Amino acid sequence: MDRKKFIKTGLLAVSGFYFLNADLFQAMQPKTDSLEGNVIDAPILIVGSGYGGAVSALRLCEAGKKVVMLEMGLNWEKSGIPFSSMLKPGKSAAWLKKKTIAPFMNIFSLTPFTGTLDRMDFEHINIWVGRGVGGGSLVNGGMAVTPKESYFKEVFPDLDAEKFYSTYFPLVHKELKVNIIDEQFLKDCPYYQFTRVGEEEAHKAGFKTIRVPNVYDFQYMEKEYKNEVPRSAFNTEVIYGNNHGKNSLDKTYLKKALETGNLEILDLHCVENIKLNDDKTYTLNVQQIDTSGAVVSDKVFNCKKLILATGTMGTLKILLQSNAVNKFPIHEEIGKNWGNNGNFMTGRNWVKPLSGGTGAKQSTIPVGGIDNWEDKEHPFFTEIAPLPMGMDVATALYLLINRVDKKGEVSYDTNTKKLSLNWDQSHMAKMKENANYFIKKMNRANGGTRSHFLFNNGFGADVCYHPLGGCVLGKATNDYGKLKDHDNLYVLDGSLIPGTIGVNPFVTITAIAEYCIENLIRQNEFA
């Protein structure tokens, strides 16, 4: 049996075993909200519980403001439903899908449920987003990377970079509980063989590597390795949620906001569209759903102040759809300067197959990166990513993050009633060139082949984890996220970043949200 057939057969066997033993209890119905009725008045309303929404909620609550937050996904902590692992996908694995939607190897069947991971498919790119209280923090790998100051200045020439690097980024690191893995533990732990091999081969090829901080608690990780606590990173948990160890937003910003007593979070509430009223307040049409996706209640929310923080794609959908349905006023810059943060996945096969490969056991939490950003011809940052398949497949997986010199644009198609994305091969040409350069240089130095097994022709050009832009700070908004042509509407999420930041973006998104909400509160915008 050849290698490709062996891996596929093994995965099919594993998936069959786990699916037959899956817990198939009925979909949980939503609990009764403390905000009762179908017409609800909320002076300050935040839509979305990701990084921007969580920051906004905490700072407003600390300022004594009462805040209502709407989240279309499930409150997993309150539900009592555990997150599922990559090798045993269950309820948390996908948003109302009948099959898993990971970037590859989707051989697992599912019963539709409001899971943590969703995918938006366009002609030339697929975009993965998080669903649930905590947003993308539930499903990302936790890589807390601060962008290079020189590139931050290039992307945001009008911001005070010195203040961001002395104040906002350190604040974010503290609030998100960012920490770094112990080097001796990394050296000894068999679950990080893929990192050690990746770094060793990168050095041999002449690349520079860096240690990457994370929001996963590495002290907890050391305990789970010793079997002193339940395993999570060592139990293939990550893109469907982590049951332990990871400091996602529900354990940091949102927890602190709730402890003030000023925040009410309503989960499974999907905003359909927004109306601007004559008195410059807003009315939101909202559907409350159950965990099977069925609508259980149509609601109307009225608010004086509205913060959109549903992530790049969510915020653009709400604004553009509201414009199409309700003639909601939007600025001409809405939808422009969109980018995939230079995301481009690739991989290599036959990586040290005679000396243990990349490891049968792999932690799901990445801690290593390749920094080639100073190369003027081929600038990129590369995450040395895990590929936990439960067996040694001698395959290295990489997520390249590149510049985005040609931006895309998002619009709304009134015929399909879906977002439309102007994004094609031409936007990714330089990214592919960088990936090809990287893989060839790695293979020349270390052996191996381009990973046709993982991706078509070895290149995952259609994989996007980091959509950015569309409501760019200072273009579609004022200097602090207030949407132009509006007095009481603010955007505080990844859509403020013009398509690229050069690294995994959530630390930057959080820092910009801190900066914006601090200044908005100082200006008495929420008085």
Side-chain angles (χ1 to χ4, degrees):
M1 185 182 296
D2 64 27
R3 176 176 177 271
K4 186 173 181 179
K5 185 177 289 186
F6 169 75
I7 294 173
K8 284 190 174 181
T9 302
L11 281 172
L12 283 168
V14 170
S15 67
F17 171 81
Y18 281 126
F19 179 66
L20 288 173
N21 287 276
D23 182 6
L24 300 177
F25 61 81
Q26 292 294 315
M28 181 196 73
Q29 298 299 314
K31 297 181 176 67
T32 302
D33 302 321
S34 61
L35 294 174
E36 296 181 354
N38 286 351
V39 179
I40 299 168
D41 293 322
I44 301 175
L45 193 64
I46 299 176
V47 184
S49 63
Y51 293 100
V55 169
S56 303
L58 175 58
R59 301 313 176 199
L60 287 167
C61 289
E62 287 179 335
K65 306 298 182 182
K66 294 290 184 181
V67 178
V68 175
M69 174 178 281
L70 303 182
E71 167 57 50
M72 69 181 294
L74 182 64
N75 189 327
W76 288 89
E77 183 178 11
K78 280 191 174 182
S79 76
I81 301 172
F83 295 117
S84 51
S85 68
M86 293 176 67
L87 292 181
K88 190 180 178 182
K91 290 185 175 297
S92 73
W95 178 263
L96 300 174
K97 300 291 193 299
K98 294 183 178 180
K99 200 172 185 180
T100 52
I101 53 171
F104 37 77
M105 297 310 234
N106 290 305
I107 56 177
F108 300 93
S109 296
L110 299 170
T111 299
F113 194 86
T114 49
T116 60
L117 189 66
D118 200 1
R119 190 183 71 199
M120 305 176 70
D121 297 341
F122 298 91
E123 184 178 0
H124 298 289
I125 194 167
N126 299 321
I127 301 171
W128 279 263
V129 295
R131 304 285 188 221
V133 174
S137 75
L138 298 177
V139 298
N140 65 27
M143 292 185 76
V145 199
T146 303
K148 288 185 175 294
E149 187 170 354
S150 59
Y151 195 54
F152 182 86
K153 289 178 178 179
E154 182 180 334
V155 174
F156 290 110
D158 297 327
L159 292 182
D160 183 349
E162 182 179 342
K163 188 166 185 180
F164 267 82
Y165 283 81
S166 64
T167 302
Y168 296 112
F169 284 128
L171 171 63
V172 167
H173 291 166
K174 178 182 177 182
E175 294 287 5
L176 293 176
K177 302 181 180 180
V178 173
N179 64 147
I180 299 176
I181 194 168
D182 179 77
E183 287 297 319
Q184 189 61 48
F185 177 69
L186 175 62
K187 180 180 178 181
D188 297 338
C189 182
Y191 287 82
Y192 277 106
Q193 181 171 320
F194 79 93
T195 299
R196 296 192 296 272
V197 168
E199 292 179 343
E200 175 190 331
E201 293 195 333
H203 295 157
K204 191 174 179 181
F207 290 112
K208 169 188 167 185
T209 63
I210 60 172
R211 182 68 53 240
V212 179
N214 207 288
V215 297
Y216 198 93
D217 185 342
F218 288 113
Q219 291 186 348
Y220 184 94
M221 183 182 285
E222 292 188 31
K223 291 178 181 178
E224 66 179 298
Y225 177 59
K226 299 174 184 177
N227 288 315
E228 295 175 356
V229 292
R231 289 189 166 188
S232 185
F234 296 160
N235 188 38
T236 71
E237 294 176 1
V238 64
I239 63 172
Y240 307 142
N242 285 85
N243 288 300
H244 312 282
K246 186 175 171 185
N247 288 308
S248 46
L249 289 170
D250 52 315
K251 297 178 176 64
T252 55
Y253 276 95
L254 291 173
K255 181 180 179 181
K256 288 179 69 174
L258 287 166
E259 286 172 350
T260 67
N262 291 328
L263 176 64
E264 180 89 31
I265 301 177
L266 305 181
D267 65 342
L268 298 175
H269 279 64
C270 307
V271 175
E272 294 297 298
N273 55 70
I274 312 170
K275 294 179 182 178
L276 176 63
N277 302 316
D278 292 339
D279 62 356
K280 299 183 179 181
T281 62
Y282 297 96
T283 296
L284 287 74
N285 292 313
V286 178
Q287 290 184 335
Q288 182 181 0
I289 63 173
D290 63 19
T291 53
S292 71
V295 177
V296 297
S297 178
D298 288 304
K299 294 185 176 182
V300 173
F301 284 79
N302 298 309
C303 66
K304 181 181 178 183
K305 300 287 184 176
L306 176 60
I307 296 175
L308 293 182
T310 59
T312 295
M313 304 312 293
T315 290
L316 290 175
K317 182 180 179 182
I318 290 173
L319 289 174
L320 291 166
Q321 184 168 287
S322 298
N323 174 255
V325 173
N326 297 326
K327 296 183 179 179
F328 188 79
I330 60 173
H331 192 267
E332 61 182 8
E333 285 289 332
I334 298 295
K336 296 180 180 179
N337 287 294
W338 186 92
N340 69 340
N341 197 30
N343 287 180
F344 200 101
M345 292 207 79
T346 187
R348 296 169 49 240
N349 290 335
W350 308 112
V351 177
K352 292 189 176 295
L354 300 180
S355 56
T358 50
K361 299 177 179 179
Q362 293 192 17
S363 170
T364 56
I365 301 301
V367 296
I370 296 169
D371 181 4
N372 203 57
W373 203 256
E374 304 306 323
D375 185 333
K376 293 183 179 180
E377 188 175 354
H378 300 289
F380 58 82
F381 167 78
T382 302
E383 173 186 326
I384 301 173
L387 189 62
M389 290 189 171
M391 62 185 82
D392 178 27
V393 293
T395 297
L397 179 65
Y398 308 98
L399 171 62
L400 272 73
I401 299 178
N402 303 268
R403 298 175 62 97
V404 182
D405 294 321
K406 183 179 180 181
K407 306 296 198 308
E409 184 172 350
V410 181
S411 57
Y412 185 78
D413 189 325
T414 54
N415 293 320
T416 63
K417 297 182 180 180
K418 293 181 179 180
L419 292 181
S420 178
L421 178 57
N422 177 12
W423 183 266
D424 57 32
Q425 308 285 345
S426 67
H427 295 83
M428 299 179 283
K430 182 60 180 178
M431 303 174 201
K432 183 175 182 180
E433 181 185 323
N434 283 350
N436 190 45
Y437 163 79
F438 169 67
I439 291 298
K440 282 185 175 179
K441 192 171 182 181
M442 290 289 282
N443 287 342
R444 280 198 300 268
N446 301 286
T449 62
R450 197 160 69 225
S451 186
H452 296 267
F453 169 65
L454 292 178
F455 306 106
N456 180 33
N457 199 30
F459 294 127
D462 60 344
V463 175
C464 175
Y465 292 136
H466 307 146
L468 298 171
C471 292
V472 172
L473 189 69
K475 291 183 179 290
T477 76
N478 74 354
D479 292 341
Y480 307 120
K482 179 193 278 192
L483 203 65
K484 289 182 178 178
D485 302 329
H486 289 267
D487 292 333
N488 298 301
L489 177 54
Y490 313 86
V491 172
L492 294 173
D493 58 22
S495 64
L496 294 174
I497 301 174
T500 172
I501 200 60
V503 292
N504 305 59
F506 75 77
V507 167
T508 306
I509 295 170
T510 311
I512 288 176
E514 287 277 19
Y515 161 77
C516 287
I517 198 68
E518 176 188 279
N519 283 282
L520 291 170
I521 292 173
R522 181 181 293 132
Q523 293 177 348
N524 292 318
E525 285 285 336
F526 300 94

